């Protein structure tokens, strides 16, 4: 018997948005995941790494205003001096700039280029490490869609699908954000808080590579069709087909990533 998600508190699966909106509007679900407590107060390096990975991964876009030091400290669960130290390190790495005055604050530098960061990471990553990352992503994503097919109400899936159906633009960043949000919403329909948190972490790590294989409009159309097929299977309560569709789409992305990696090696 199918069940909706009303019996599970939403914040058990997808943490509420707490970030300052970016220039593009409300923060995405991946942006919301950036500013979650790190658990160990006094760890400036962990705060710095969390924000740096969000910048290089394109989760925090160029020009995005970060929360103030006091708010960062509260969000991460660290001392204010730790947040200040982390921001200083990010400034030294030229990932963040701090401006004074009425409209001041700390902002992601305008020159931050997620595509360039992803290309460097792909070039430097071994094929074994890339395949291992994809295998982990497949394991978690496949488990999420399989459970979602068993537990989600079709109306919940329809809301996700309708947003993909309305997408008519040709902006790679808009598409990547829409696709990431769709994956996270599907994972929330699994009604597993643990799986959803892991999906959020992995989506942030793997999304920059997915953006590389969605560079052209034709590539984005193909990815959109693959995602719609997953949603159709989830709506039909067909776990086997949903997980197969995920497996095929990730295998397709891996083939294209390996080809891109080979091109980078030749150049």
């Amino acid at each position: 018997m199918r069940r909706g998600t009303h019996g599970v508190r939403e914040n058990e699966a997808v943490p509420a948005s707490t970030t300052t909106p970016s220039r593009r509007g409300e923060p995405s679900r991946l942006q919301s995941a950036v500013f979650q407590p790190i658990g160990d107060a006094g760890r400036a390096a962990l705060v710095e790494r969390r924000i740096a990975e969000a910048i290089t991964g394109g989760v925090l876009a160029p020009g995005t205003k970060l929360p103030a030091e006091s708010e960062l400290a509260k969000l991460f669960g660290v001392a204010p001096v730790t947040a200040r130290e982390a921001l200083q390190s990010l400034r030294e790495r030229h990932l963040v700039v701090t401006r004074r005055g009425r409209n001041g604050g700390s902002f992601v530098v305008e020159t931050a280029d997620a595509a360039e960061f992803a290309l460097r990471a792909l070039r430097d990553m071994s094929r074994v490490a890339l395949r291992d990352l994809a295998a982990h992503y497949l394991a978690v994503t496949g488990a999420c869609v399989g459970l979602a097919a068993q537990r989600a109400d079709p109306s919940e899936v329809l809301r996700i699908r309708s947003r993909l159906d309305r997408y008519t633009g040709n902006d790679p960043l808009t598409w990547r954000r829409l696709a990431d949000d769709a994956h996270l919403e599907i994972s929330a329909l699994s009604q597993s808080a643990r799986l959803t948190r892991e999906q959020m972490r992995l989506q942030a790590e793997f999304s920059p590579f997915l953006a590389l294989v969605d560079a052209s409009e034709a590539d984005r159309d193909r990815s959109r069709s693959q995602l719609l097929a997953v949603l159709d299977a989830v709506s039909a309560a067909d776990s086997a087909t949903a997980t197969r569709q995920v497996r095929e789409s990730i295998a397709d992305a891996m083939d294209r990533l390996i080809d891109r990696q080979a091109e980078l090696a030749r150049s």
Side-chain angles (χ1 to χ4, degrees), residues 142-164:
C144 284
V145 300
L147 285 174
Q150 298 173 32
R151 299 173 174 178
D153 187 274
S155 64
E156 297 170 312
V157 182
L158 182 61
R159 285 195 291 271
I160 304 173
R161 199 186 201 287
S162 64
R163 285 194 289 275
L164 293 174

Side-chain angles (χ1 to χ4, degrees), residues 1-3 145-154 157 229-243:
M1 179 179 296
R2 302 172 67 84
R3 296 189 289 121
V145 300
L147 285 174
Q150 298 173 32
R151 299 173 174 178
D153 187 274
V157 182
V230 172
L231 286 168
D232 287 342
V234 171
S235 182
D238 189 343
S239 293
T241 299
T243 53

Side-chain angles (χ1 to χ4, degrees), residues 19-87:
T19 64
T20 302
S22 70
R23 294 185 308 176
R24 294 181 178 273
E26 290 301 314
S28 69
R29 288 168 176 79
L30 284 185
Q31 283 183 328
S32 299
V34 173
F35 303 103
Q36 295 300 308
I38 62 172
D40 294 319
R43 299 292 182 86
L46 291 178
V47 176
E48 176 193 350
R49 186 177 69 185
R50 177 84 64 85
I51 298 175
E53 288 176 350
I55 294 171
T56 58
V59 177
L60 295 175
T64 299
K65 185 176 182 179
L66 302 180
E69 283 183 6
S70 58
E71 183 65 13
L72 274 178
K74 181 179 178 181
L75 291 170
F76 282 116
V78 299
V81 67
T82 301
R84 189 176 308 118
E85 184 180 341
L87 286 174

Side-chain angles (χ1 to χ4, degrees), residues 175 213-214 216-229 249 252-253 255-256:
W175 162 249
V213 298
D214 283 346
S216 71
E217 185 174 4
D219 289 332
R220 290 190 289 277
D221 285 342
R222 176 162 57 176
S223 295
R224 178 173 172 272
S225 295
Q226 291 170 341
L227 186 50
L228 288 173
S249 67
D252 179 50
D255 288 341
R256 289 185 282 166

